[in-house]
Amino acid sequence: MLPLLSDLGALKDFWDFVRRIQEWLTLGGAALAGSIALLFLVTWTLSFVRRAQAKRKALLSTLALVAAYPAIGLTLVAAAGLFIPSLAPLILKSFALAALAAALSWCLAVASILRGGNAHDLARARRSLLLAGTPWYCLAIYLALHL
């Protein structure tokens, strides 16, 4: 019984963290979203400094790309909230969860680029950087237009 209660406490802490992110997005969201979107684009641009190697190290770049897809999915849920009224209360929550997923993907992509790899690995990591930045680009536009 005790391990179950401790798991619920960890889940409560996670949702408190998501709620705080949602509050940050509401209060100073446009500047925050714009600056982080710019960070994603600058990281993507600087990733072209890294040259391909003959070695294949596909694990990190594949993980980064796979981790970017939940961020895209959550962004689509947030976009659906603009058109489906019952999903409207979930827009900022979806963006907050997408921001967490994008942060994970960004970390994996940067680690993959720093580690290096062949041209396909680096291209996969660059693609994951662009995909992981999508929630931030969309969030900046949403906050600028609707809040």
Side-chain angles (χ1 to χ4, degrees), residues 28-121:
L32 176 69
S35 60
I36 293 179
L38 184 63
L39 172 73
F40 274 84
L41 287 174
V42 167
T43 306
W44 176 76
T45 305
L46 289 177
S47 72
F48 284 96
V49 173
R50 185 71 170 168
R51 296 289 169 217
Q53 303 168 349
K55 300 180 220 173
R56 181 165 172 85
K57 301 175 183 177
L59 181 63
L60 269 178
S61 62
T62 303
L63 285 175
L65 188 59
V66 168
Y69 288 119
I72 296 294
L74 288 165
T75 303
L76 289 174
V77 169
L82 293 172
F83 304 106
I84 302 170
S86 61
L87 292 178
L90 297 177
I91 291 175
L92 283 179
K93 272 189 184 149
S94 296
F95 273 131
L97 289 172
L100 287 175
L104 173 68
S105 179
W106 183 83
C107 291
L108 290 171
V110 168
S112 175
I113 289 169
L114 290 176
R115 185 174 181 204
N118 63 18
H120 294 292
D121 297 336

Side-chain angles (χ1 to χ4, degrees), residues 3-24:
L4 180 63
L5 292 176
S6 66
D7 290 341
L8 291 176
L11 190 61
K12 182 181 178 280
D13 291 340
F14 174 74
W15 286 114
D16 284 342
F17 184 63
V18 170
R19 184 186 48 76
R20 275 189 284 161
I21 290 174
Q22 183 180 355
E23 289 172 0
W24 292 338

